[in-house]
Amino acid sequence: MELFERWAWYGFYILFALYLTNSTDEGALGFTQVQKGWIMGVGTAILYFLPLITGAISDKIGYKKTLYIAYTIYTTAFLAMPFFHSFVSVFIIFLYLALGAALFKPIVSATVAKTTDKTTSSIGFGIFYMMVNIGAFVGPFVTGHFREISWEYVFISSALVIAFNFVLLTFFYKEPRHDDEPEKVKEPLGKNIVGAFKNIGVALSDVKFVIFLVIIAGFWTMYNQLFFTLPVFIDQWVDTTRVYDFLANVWPWLAQKLGTEQGTIPAEYLVNVDAGSIILFQIIISSIVMRLRPLNAMISGIFVASIGIGLSMMTHSGMFVVLALFIFSIGEMSSSPKITEYIGRIAPPDKTALYMGTSFLPVAAGNFFAGIISGNVYQQMSDKVQLARNEMVTRGINLPAISDKFTQNDFLEAAAHKLNMNMHEFTMFLWDKYHPSNIWMVVFGIGLGATILLFLYDRIILKKQ
């Protein structure tokens, strides 16, 4: 179920930024980067905060019933999304989708925890995370193919994939025993939710722990640019023809399957280098990192990931982006799994569950702030449409406002025509004059700041421990 859920989610999510912001004559919504940042940032932040409540609901009504509700919301949300086109309506339907994901998210990991013991938990969670990454890798390849046909097929394919989980749930899933927490099942739902918030409050009374969570929120802010900003940056600025040519020489079949008629590779396939690298190299990286203290692994991993994501936005070379994403994946593999492990280790023995319950807070905060970076900051520094607008204003050239009848693509083509350039020449002109790649400094700076603060946290705040 985790494999198919991640397949459906990442198949849609890796394309979501492009769906929101690309031109309407391509079937996308034509929103601004700021609007995209609000939808993805706030919506996904709420998704990661809701498990505090949805976890209490699942404890009360049972995991199987909760999963039926989650898959129903998931499926109907995917099917309905193509029918919503305004900013407010898309925001609402994405929040509805986030509710389905939030109902699902805590249950599968809890099921693994309840159906394994000390001797089998490592292999149990190992299989769990392997399914996460396989689903995240396969999903974008499937939906990327459907995107070439129509955006509607992207959402329909994700709906069908998540709907398959009804089969697995009905015929194979067994409700795990709740013997370890019978009081939660008997207590009223409201009392469970209030108790969950109280537990979070107890954990957050530890000032040193709160400082750690704030620093890790910086890591997630940087990390989420992989989904919020990078697909748009690649789509607007990166020349992927050399990636296509390389594949055509080495593996012609794959080049034909992934490439476009123009001899390029779509953004979602380049971004997917990260998930593919994790599948291939996670065991090797984990075997190396396991020899380090969790905090040292996080410090080095966040630093390497920051370099990778920064490099991916520094150039318009597709081959360079592929290399940068491989570097990013090494940092992600080194740091991300260690965060939860570290929280479990530093928690007082009688408060482990309380501390572990807060692990979603920096992820939620990171998504929120990532939305601001990919929205307001990216639009002002790097958005091609905004930079083209700026150039037209500077030159005193009046063009029609972007609308359903005069799309983003129409605007860019008209702007290029006014300067006697073709689209490639106009893109390179904007690149050379406005330096949209400077966004790399912002993203890398956030990751570097988190690295430095985590180092100081280790050397100063934890020095006596």
Side-chain angles (χ1 to χ4, degrees):
M1 290 196 298
E2 180 70 20
L3 187 153
F4 287 110
E5 188 271 345
R6 291 292 85 184
W7 175 339
W9 175 261
Y10 280 111
F12 139 81
Y13 198 63
I14 208 168
L15 288 164
F16 194 40
L18 296 175
Y19 175 68
L20 293 175
T21 60
N22 276 13
S23 185
T24 54
D25 54 7
E26 298 175 1
L29 297 180
F31 290 169
T32 66
Q33 302 298 330
V34 173
Q35 289 173 317
K36 172 208 70 179
W38 278 108
I39 291 174
M40 296 186 70
V42 175
T44 314
I46 291 174
L47 186 161
Y48 279 98
F49 184 79
L50 280 179
L52 176 63
I53 299 172
T54 59
I57 293 173
S58 63
D59 286 333
K60 180 64 179 177
I61 69 174
Y63 288 0
K64 196 163 188 174
K65 289 181 181 178
T66 307
L67 286 174
Y68 274 117
I69 298 171
Y71 297 151
T72 300
I73 294 174
Y74 242 137
T75 306
T76 53
F78 277 132
L79 291 175
M81 191 165 284
F83 297 98
F84 294 84
H85 301 103
S86 70
F87 171 72
V88 173
S89 64
V90 172
F91 207 146
I92 292 172
I93 193 64
F94 183 59
L95 290 177
Y96 178 62
L97 178 68
L99 174 61
L103 284 165
F104 172 87
K105 189 167 287 293
I107 291 181
V108 176
S109 55
T111 300
V112 176
K114 290 178 180 296
T115 53
T116 57
D117 54 32
K118 292 181 179 180
T119 61
T120 59
S121 63
S122 292
I123 187 65
F125 277 100
I127 294 171
F128 168 76
Y129 286 118
M130 183 171 66
M131 294 301 106
V132 169
N133 286 295
I134 292 175
F137 181 72
V138 172
F141 282 112
V142 176
T143 53
H145 171 71
F146 287 119
R147 175 196 171 194
E148 297 298 317
I149 304 172
S150 169
W151 278 106
E152 290 184 3
Y153 286 96
V154 170
F155 300 107
I156 292 172
S157 66
S158 285
L160 291 175
V161 170
I162 199 71
F164 183 75
N165 272 349
F166 281 115
V167 177
L168 299 179
L169 178 62
T170 302
F171 296 103
F172 298 101
Y173 185 82
K174 296 179 181 179
E175 183 80 24
R177 295 172 64 91
H178 295 266
D179 295 342
D180 55 335
E181 45 191 27
E183 69 284 350
K184 286 187 178 181
V185 179
K186 295 178 181 179
E187 288 180 349
L189 176 59
K191 189 173 181 179
N192 280 349
I193 295 175
V194 171
F197 277 103
K198 287 182 178 179
N199 289 341
I200 296 297
V202 172
L204 295 183
S205 64
D206 183 341
V207 177
K208 286 181 290 187
F209 183 54
V210 171
I211 294 173
F212 171 77
L213 294 180
V214 170
I215 295 171
I216 293 304
F219 162 74
W220 288 115
T221 302
M222 174 271 296
Y223 169 85
N224 280 302
Q225 301 310 313
L226 181 73
F227 305 105
F228 286 39
T229 302
L230 187 57
V232 176
F233 182 85
I234 293 173
D235 192 66
Q236 290 187 340
W237 301 109
V238 175
D239 180 5
T240 60
T241 53
R242 290 190 178 181
V243 181
Y244 177 87
D245 293 340
F246 174 79
L247 287 177
N249 291 327
V250 176
W251 197 349
W253 177 85
L254 186 61
Q256 183 182 5
K257 290 295 182 182
L258 301 184
T260 65
E261 295 179 356
Q262 293 75 34
T264 60
I265 301 295
E268 59 269 25
Y269 297 144
L270 257 65
V271 174
N272 216 21
V273 168
D274 175 59
S277 299
I278 291 174
I279 292 173
L280 293 175
F281 300 106
Q282 179 69 73
I283 295 176
I284 297 173
I285 298 299
S286 295
S287 64
I288 297 173
V289 172
M290 66 183 293
R291 303 172 186 176
L292 303 175
R293 291 172 57 228
L295 210 55
N296 288 344
M298 281 186 278
I299 292 170
S300 58
I302 293 173
F303 181 64
V304 172
S306 303
I307 293 174
I309 196 71
L311 291 176
S312 69
M313 299 181 193
M314 186 186 287
T315 176
H316 54 72
S317 167
M319 292 297 289
F320 194 84
V321 172
V322 171
L323 175 62
L325 285 172
F326 175 69
I327 295 172
F328 173 81
S329 71
I330 294 176
E332 180 187 350
M333 287 183 275
S334 304
S335 56
S336 182
K338 288 291 181 179
I339 294 172
T340 305
E341 177 187 341
Y342 177 75
I343 292 174
R345 286 193 181 190
I346 66 172
D350 60 334
K351 296 180 180 178
T352 301
L354 271 63
Y355 277 59
M356 293 296 286
T358 65
S359 61
F360 67 89
L361 290 176
V363 184
N367 275 276
F368 176 79
F369 291 114
I372 296 175
I373 300 300
S374 73
N376 301 65
V377 177
Y378 183 84
Q379 179 158 312
Q380 293 303 315
M381 293 182 63
S382 307
D383 180 42
K384 183 190 283 189
V385 176
Q386 184 63 46
L387 298 182
R389 277 200 187 103
N390 295 347
E391 184 62 24
M392 293 300 100
V393 171
T394 300
R395 293 173 179 262
I397 299 174
N398 292 320
L399 292 176
I402 294 175
S403 64
D404 292 338
K405 296 181 179 179
F406 191 74
T407 66
Q408 291 179 7
N409 285 340
D410 293 333
F411 183 90
L412 293 173
E413 289 172 2
H417 179 72
K418 289 290 185 180
L419 301 186
N420 297 315
M421 300 177 185
N422 60 37
M423 277 306 301
H424 175 72
E425 292 170 339
F426 185 56
T427 298
M428 295 311 300
F429 167 77
L430 294 176
W431 177 273
D432 293 334
K433 181 173 181 178
Y434 291 97
H435 308 290
S437 59
N438 284 345
I439 190 70
W440 80 267
M441 290 186 282
V442 176
V443 178
F444 173 72
I446 294 171
L448 180 62
T451 304
I452 294 172
L453 289 174
L454 201 58
F455 176 82
L456 295 176
Y457 172 83
D458 184 31
R459 294 298 186 271
I460 298 176
I461 297 179
L462 300 183
K463 186 177 180 180
K464 295 181 180 180
Q465 296 185 348

